[in-house]
Amino acid sequence: MSLSRFITPLSCISSTSDSSMITSTEKKNKNTTTLCFEDTKERVKNMFNKVELSISSYDTAFVAMIPSSTSSHAPLFPQCLNWLLDNQLLDGSWGLPGRHPLLTNDALLSTLACILALKQWGIGEDKMNKGLEFIESNFTSINDDKQHHPIGFHILFPSLIEYAQTLGISLPIRSTSLEAMIQRRDNELQRGFQSNSEGWREYLAYLSEGMLKSLDSNTIMKYQRKNGSLFNSPATTAAVFQHLKNADCLSYLQSVLEKFGNAVPTVYPLDIYARLYMIDSLERMGINHHFKEEIRSVLDETYRYWLQGEENIFLDPTTCAMAFRLLRLNGYDVSSDPFYQYSEDKFSNSLKGYLKDVSAVLELYRASQFIIHPDESILVKQRSWTRRLLKQDSSPYQLYADKLRIYVDNEVNDILNFPHHANLERLLNRRSVEHYNADETRILKTSYRSCNLANQEILKLAVEDFNLCQSIHNKELKQLARWIVTSRLDKLEFARQKLAYCYFSSAATLFSPELSDARISWAKNGVLTTVVDDFFDVGSSEEEQVNLIQLVEKWDVDVDTVCCSEAVKIIFSAVRSTICEIGEKSVERQGRNVKDNVIKIWLNLMKSMYTEAEWLRTKTIPTIDDYMQNAYVSFALGPIVLPALYLVEPKLSDDVAENQELDCLFKTMSTCGRLLNDIHSFKRESEEGKLNAVSLHMVHGNGVVTAEDAVNKMKGVIEDKRRELLRLVLQEKGSLVPRDCKDLFWKMMKVLNLFYIKDDGFTSNEMHSTVNAVIKEPIILNDLLVDSKQH
């Protein structure tokens, strides 16, 4: 029985004739599109060379407040003060231009910091007054729950107001409002000091510019990094330097100004995280294959940093988790040991744990899905506690996010609904494109942007690539629909018509234009395995079954004289023509015809299906081992996956094709799929009087093993096999099978897990909408840009 037995049938998309003539206008449009596509790719490639960060008026203000070492009446960095004078926005505020309406509190804090800097040096009175007017007219936003609060806002803002009063600044704030703010701050400080946790102490040190009077210098300086900064934050570092005159702090600030000129960003450096995030975005949006060299270069560099223990990776759980996931996913040998420092207890006692940073929890959860070794209990535990937190609707871990809430909510929902092992690439790509915020703003103590983290060029390229692939998929599906008719497979009344499903499973995983041959092979063999499964299951006599197997064994026969029935003739003719076609295609890619290899694959399948039919006819009850040894083959993934290996890019010699590694990949994948199928088809097959793994566990359990016991045991085996398959796919050392070939086994695993992710499988409506999203419905770029602005 093949995997397709369990899936709800889909009607085939109708065939229409393709025009063989391409007009000169179409050619011209195609050339123009190609040029635009290449231009966009080149601009994205250039982003790998430099990480760009927006300037922070908040942080620049604190650097501008540092007095000169020779005179307390002059700034040490006058260029920062001049930048503040030159960069007030038209509404009187300071901050990111074109800010989101929910970031008013960010503008209030930045504006107040800039006013303090100007007041300290006694210049820009008109600008200060305009800034004060902005604060007065927008002050009510501090009590608006919908507003996004920067980190530490309720401590920093009232503290800066108190400092403003000592400078003689008359703030347009009612005394009752000020008292309420200060009371809120003091309550938060009291709770924190009572807890006295490490996370709290780190949090206060991060807010040093608002807390210097109450902090011990030794407490602060233990967080100093090798580059001289505190938390890679110019504002924190400037405040600490002004207080302690630490030379390394000064060196850091000078190095940042040397890079950015007359102002500073809110976080620096961010290169490792930004480049990794860029790679992750490209992969999630399905366009990473355009940047293989650039991605490999970044990952090689990141791996060197990993081995060196680079603090900008290991001091930040978000960066550490992302580096681990991307390195492991791309075949680098990285240990999960660093996550011991981010166990549930230790994470909650860290800065991001204190902040209840949902983005950090998300990354830790993503990383925990890449378990490949039996001794990685740290990742098992990590997956458990991070998933638990993400599933809590009112989770305290959703109090802080470095992005606007709607985008974080989309990420959380997506990852909970589609774990890595059940996330088909093209579905993930579409969701990622549709949820992509090209104008994304990140928020720490103040907001910032980086084109490496989000930009319209990446979105544009992803939309163009998706729609280009989809147009090719549409044509291929119509071509396959014609093949069904010309092969007369539609005349077999006992056979389910599964073309749309079979093609979808290939297009959703092998989507690149150059993989057309592999897609067609995958889809045709998927259709044929479904037909042959139905043939052995319900549509044939024993004589017909034997006849079909003998025909495949003999191969060169006259179908008009040797077939015992019309059904046998149709099936054998379709199988033979498909195998011959694969053989011809393999000559182009492999330099040899692999027809005989594919014949052997099909024979193995048919004989295993015959064995199952014999067990049913004779009412034989096999042992569980005998059943599984046959059932992983009869699950019918062999003809779908194995021939496609010859039609992707790498060369696959006969020695490698017959190697134990490839057999292990196939058996592990197929065993997993067989058990998933048997769990979900147990009830129906029991009613039909058929045996599967669940019922056999019960039969051989001497009346002690219940269906629930059997299912739980099988789920454990599935989990182990899934991890084993991922390890086999990802490991580079000692592997003979090319990675592009191994990926096909994991892609099929994703297909299996997606369709068995619910107890009842996909419903017909879900399947139709899913197929349409991948094959029929293009993505409209302008709609995405409009949606982004509305959010």
Side-chain angles (χ1 to χ4, degrees):
M1 178 183 300
S2 72
L3 74 107
S4 53
R5 164 61 65 186
F6 185 65
I7 307 302
T8 306
L10 281 173
S11 58
C12 174
I13 295 175
S14 61
S15 168
T16 58
S17 60
D18 294 327
S19 172
S20 59
M21 299 294 291
I22 300 177
T23 67
S24 59
T25 303
E26 287 174 325
K27 286 183 178 179
K28 184 178 178 181
N29 290 339
K30 186 176 180 181
N31 290 337
T32 302
T33 301
T34 302
L35 284 173
C36 292
F37 190 79
E38 291 303 318
D39 287 345
T40 308
K41 270 174 58 176
E42 198 59 36
R43 287 192 290 273
V44 175
K45 280 185 179 181
N46 291 333
M47 293 176 197
F48 281 96
N49 299 326
K50 183 181 179 182
V51 172
E52 296 186 0
L53 292 168
S54 59
I55 293 301
S56 163
S57 55
Y58 174 82
D59 290 77
T60 301
F62 280 97
V63 176
M65 289 184 211
I66 300 173
S68 168
S69 57
T70 56
S71 171
S72 61
H73 301 292
L76 178 61
F77 299 110
Q79 69 270 37
C80 292
L81 194 59
N82 291 331
W83 186 92
L84 297 180
L85 291 169
D86 294 339
N87 285 276
Q88 188 175 33
L89 300 178
L90 291 177
D91 63 358
S93 70
W94 277 269
L96 280 182
R99 65 175 170 266
H100 194 280
L102 294 180
L103 293 176
T104 304
N105 288 336
D106 172 40
L108 287 173
L109 188 60
S110 292
T111 301
L112 183 53
C114 293
I115 290 171
L116 293 176
L118 296 179
K119 180 67 174 178
Q120 180 171 325
W121 304 117
I123 60 171
E125 185 174 351
D126 289 345
K127 294 183 181 296
M128 280 192 284
N129 289 335
K130 283 185 67 178
L132 290 171
E133 289 173 9
F134 173 81
I135 291 175
E136 180 178 21
S137 59
N138 290 276
F139 186 75
T140 55
S141 73
I142 67 168
N143 295 317
D144 183 353
D145 292 336
K146 294 181 181 177
Q147 285 286 323
H148 192 111
H149 298 299
I151 294 176
F153 177 80
H154 293 297
I155 290 178
L156 291 171
F157 194 62
S159 295
L160 294 189
I161 287 176
E162 287 180 327
Y163 180 52
Q165 291 174 328
T166 65
L167 293 178
I169 298 174
S170 178
L171 288 159
I173 299 173
R174 292 198 305 268
S175 59
T176 52
S177 298
L178 178 58
E179 288 170 5
M181 276 195 303
I182 292 174
Q183 184 62 49
R184 179 172 181 170
R185 177 199 63 184
D186 291 345
N187 288 341
E188 182 177 346
L189 291 174
Q190 184 178 3
R191 285 194 303 272
F193 283 122
Q194 285 175 349
S195 73
N196 198 31
S197 68
E198 174 59 28
W200 165 253
R201 291 192 292 272
E202 197 172 349
Y203 175 62
L204 286 186
Y206 181 54
L207 306 182
S208 288
E209 63 268 32
M211 294 300 301
L212 280 174
K213 292 181 181 178
S214 58
L215 285 181
D216 174 57
S217 60
N218 292 328
T219 300
I220 297 174
M221 294 310 293
K222 78 175 188 176
Y223 302 110
Q224 187 172 36
R225 301 195 174 187
K226 292 176 183 177
N227 61 16
S229 77
L230 279 301
F231 307 99
N232 287 337
S233 165
T236 308
T237 309
V240 170
F241 172 72
Q242 190 170 349
H243 187 66
L244 301 177
K245 306 302 183 213
N246 179 272
D248 290 335
C249 288
L250 178 60
S251 295
Y252 167 77
L253 295 172
Q254 289 170 331
S255 70
V256 179
L257 284 168
E258 186 177 331
K259 181 174 180 62
F260 290 90
N262 52 4
V264 296
T266 195
V267 57
Y268 179 80
L270 197 68
D271 293 34
I272 295 175
Y273 172 81
R275 286 193 172 100
L276 289 173
Y277 189 87
M278 187 174 170
I279 291 172
D280 192 42
S281 294
L282 295 175
E283 289 186 352
R284 290 173 64 79
M285 298 173 83
I287 51 177
N288 53 303
H289 55 285
H290 294 299
F291 309 100
K292 289 181 179 178
E293 290 183 12
E294 290 79 9
I295 289 173
R296 179 58 62 180
S297 176
V298 171
L299 293 178
D300 283 345
E301 182 180 49
T302 305
Y303 187 53
R304 287 196 297 272
Y305 288 146
W306 182 280
L307 297 178
Q308 293 165 6
E310 167 62 47
E311 65 178 11
N312 284 321
I313 292 178
F314 294 107
L315 288 181
D316 176 41
T318 311
T319 306
C320 180
M322 186 179 292
F324 170 83
R325 174 169 56 87
L326 291 176
L327 288 172
R328 180 166 277 193
L329 182 63
N330 285 279
Y332 294 83
D333 183 17
V334 287
S335 168
S336 56
D337 287 350
F339 291 112
Y340 283 102
Q341 68 177 319
Y342 300 122
S343 63
E344 184 173 10
D345 291 343
K346 291 180 180 178
F347 177 78
S348 64
N349 208 23
S350 68
L351 174 59
K352 289 204 170 181
Y354 179 80
L355 292 173
K356 300 174 174 56
D357 185 339
V358 67
S359 295
V361 178
L362 262 172
E363 280 304 329
L364 288 167
Y365 178 67
R366 285 193 178 107
S368 72
Q369 296 184 75
F370 290 87
I371 302 171
I372 62 175
H373 300 301
D375 57 348
E376 294 190 302
S377 60
I378 183 62
L379 292 181
V380 176
K381 293 175 182 176
Q382 185 170 300
R383 185 175 63 177
S384 175
W385 70 262
T386 52
R387 181 174 177 81
R388 184 178 71 250
L389 292 174
L390 293 172
K391 286 182 72 174
Q392 294 173 2
D393 292 336
S394 58
S395 169
Y397 274 81
Q398 295 185 18
L399 286 179
Y400 170 72
D402 63 353
K403 307 173 193 175
L404 293 175
R405 176 64 53 202
I406 184 172
Y407 298 104
V408 176
D409 288 346
N410 282 336
E411 284 186 68
V412 171
N413 291 333
D414 190 73
I415 197 169
L416 290 178
N417 290 328
F418 298 97
H420 174 70
H421 61 265
N423 216 350
L424 289 193
E425 280 91 332
R426 224 46 183 160
L427 296 178
L428 169 64
N429 299 157
R430 178 156 196 143
R431 292 194 308 274
S432 298
V433 170
E434 291 176 340
H435 293 162
Y436 189 78
N437 179 13
D439 301 314
E440 182 173 271
T441 300
R442 297 294 186 94
I443 306 102
L444 295 171
K445 283 184 289 190
T446 187
S447 57
Y448 70 98
R449 297 191 187 110
S450 169
C451 68
N452 303 83
L453 300 180
N455 66 81
Q456 289 193 12
E457 297 296 335
I458 288 178
L459 179 61
K460 181 181 177 184
L461 182 65
V463 171
E464 288 175 353
D465 185 84
F466 187 95
N467 291 341
L468 171 65
C469 293
Q470 190 179 70
S471 67
I472 295 170
H473 298 161
N474 248 312
K475 292 175 183 176
E476 290 176 352
L477 186 54
K478 291 173 182 177
Q479 172 190 335
L480 287 164
R482 290 193 297 273
W483 167 75
I484 292 280
V485 175
T486 57
S487 300
R488 300 173 61 218
L489 294 170
D490 58 328
K491 303 300 182 185
L492 300 172
E493 294 183 2
F494 62 81
R496 290 157 295 149
Q497 297 300 313
K498 303 290 292 181
L499 173 59
Y501 156 69
C502 293
Y503 181 74
F504 162 76
S505 70
S506 68
T509 52
L510 306 168
F511 54 83
S512 299
E514 64 270 18
L515 295 177
S516 178
D517 290 343
R519 271 194 303 278
I520 296 295
S521 166
W522 181 298
K524 281 189 174 182
N525 282 308
V527 169
L528 290 172
T529 55
T530 304
V531 170
V532 172
D533 177 49
D534 289 343
F535 174 79
F536 277 92
D537 199 21
V538 296
S540 64
S541 64
E542 183 177 3
E543 178 191 3
E544 288 175 307
Q545 294 171 5
V546 171
N547 184 217
L548 179 60
I549 293 172
Q550 288 175 342
L551 290 175
V552 177
E553 288 175 328
K554 293 176 182 177
W555 195 252
D556 292 318
V557 296
D558 180 1
V559 293
D560 292 324
T561 60
V562 297
C563 298
C564 70
S565 70
E566 188 67 11
V568 171
K569 180 179 178 180
I570 292 172
I571 293 172
F572 174 67
S573 298
V575 169
R576 185 166 68 171
S577 65
T578 299
I579 292 176
C580 288
E581 180 184 308
I582 292 168
E584 291 165 5
K585 295 288 186 183
S586 68
V587 174
E588 302 170 22
R589 295 180 180 267
Q590 299 292 329
R592 71 187 195 285
N593 192 315
V594 301
K595 179 184 70 175
D596 291 343
N597 304 56
V598 184
I599 292 172
K600 188 187 301 183
I601 294 165
W602 266 103
L603 274 174
N604 287 339
L605 172 63
M606 290 179 179
K607 289 177 179 178
S608 70
M609 288 182 167
Y610 179 81
T611 298
E612 283 190 351
E614 274 291 281
W615 285 340
L616 190 60
R617 277 192 289 267
T618 60
K619 295 184 169 46
T620 299
I621 300 177
T623 66
I624 294 173
D625 288 345
D626 286 344
Y627 171 80
M628 288 305 302
Q629 192 63 30
N630 186 74
Y632 85 84
V633 180
S634 68
F635 191 55
L637 298 184
I640 301 173
V641 176
L642 299 179
L645 299 176
Y646 297 107
L647 302 177
V648 292
E649 196 60 37
K651 291 282 198 303
L652 192 68
S653 68
D654 282 337
D655 288 341
V656 174
E658 295 171 6
N659 186 272
Q660 186 179 0
E661 181 187 1
L662 199 64
D663 184 61
C664 191
L665 283 159
F666 172 60
K667 186 172 183 178
T668 305
M669 169 195 68
S670 296
T671 300
C672 220
R674 167 53 70 188
L675 293 176
L676 281 168
N677 177 277
D678 284 9
I679 287 172
H680 291 286
S681 61
F682 164 65
K683 184 177 179 182
R684 175 180 55 78
E685 293 191 327
S686 294
E687 291 171 354
E688 295 173 358
K690 297 174 183 176
L691 292 170
N692 74 14
V694 178
S695 54
L696 283 173
H697 273 92
M698 296 169 65
V699 168
H700 294 297
N702 298 320
V704 177
V705 178
T706 65
E708 184 180 2
D709 294 334
V711 167
N712 288 335
K713 181 177 181 180
M714 289 161 60
K715 284 182 177 179
V717 175
I718 291 169
E719 181 71 19
D720 291 341
K721 293 291 182 184
R722 194 159 55 213
R723 291 179 192 172
E724 173 65 10
L725 181 63
L726 186 59
R727 183 187 65 78
L728 289 168
V729 170
L730 297 183
Q731 78 174 17
E732 299 277 346
K733 190 175 180 180
S735 176
L736 296 175
V737 182
R739 174 64 188 271
D740 285 350
C741 293
K742 292 194 291 184
D743 279 342
L744 264 61
F745 295 94
W746 187 249
K747 290 176 189 296
M748 177 54 86
M749 178 64 78
K750 288 186 174 187
V751 172
L752 297 169
N753 280 286
L754 176 68
F755 286 106
Y756 292 117
I757 202 167
K758 295 184 178 181
D759 288 340
D760 59 348
F762 265 111
T763 66
S764 181
N765 288 337
E766 283 177 308
M767 272 297 299
H768 276 293
S769 62
T770 302
V771 170
N772 289 341
V774 171
I775 299 174
K776 292 187 67 177
E777 298 166 359
I779 302 176
I780 309 302
L781 177 63
N782 288 339
D783 290 352
L784 300 183
L785 296 177
V786 169
D787 288 345
S788 178
K789 285 183 170 56
Q790 289 175 345
H791 290 319

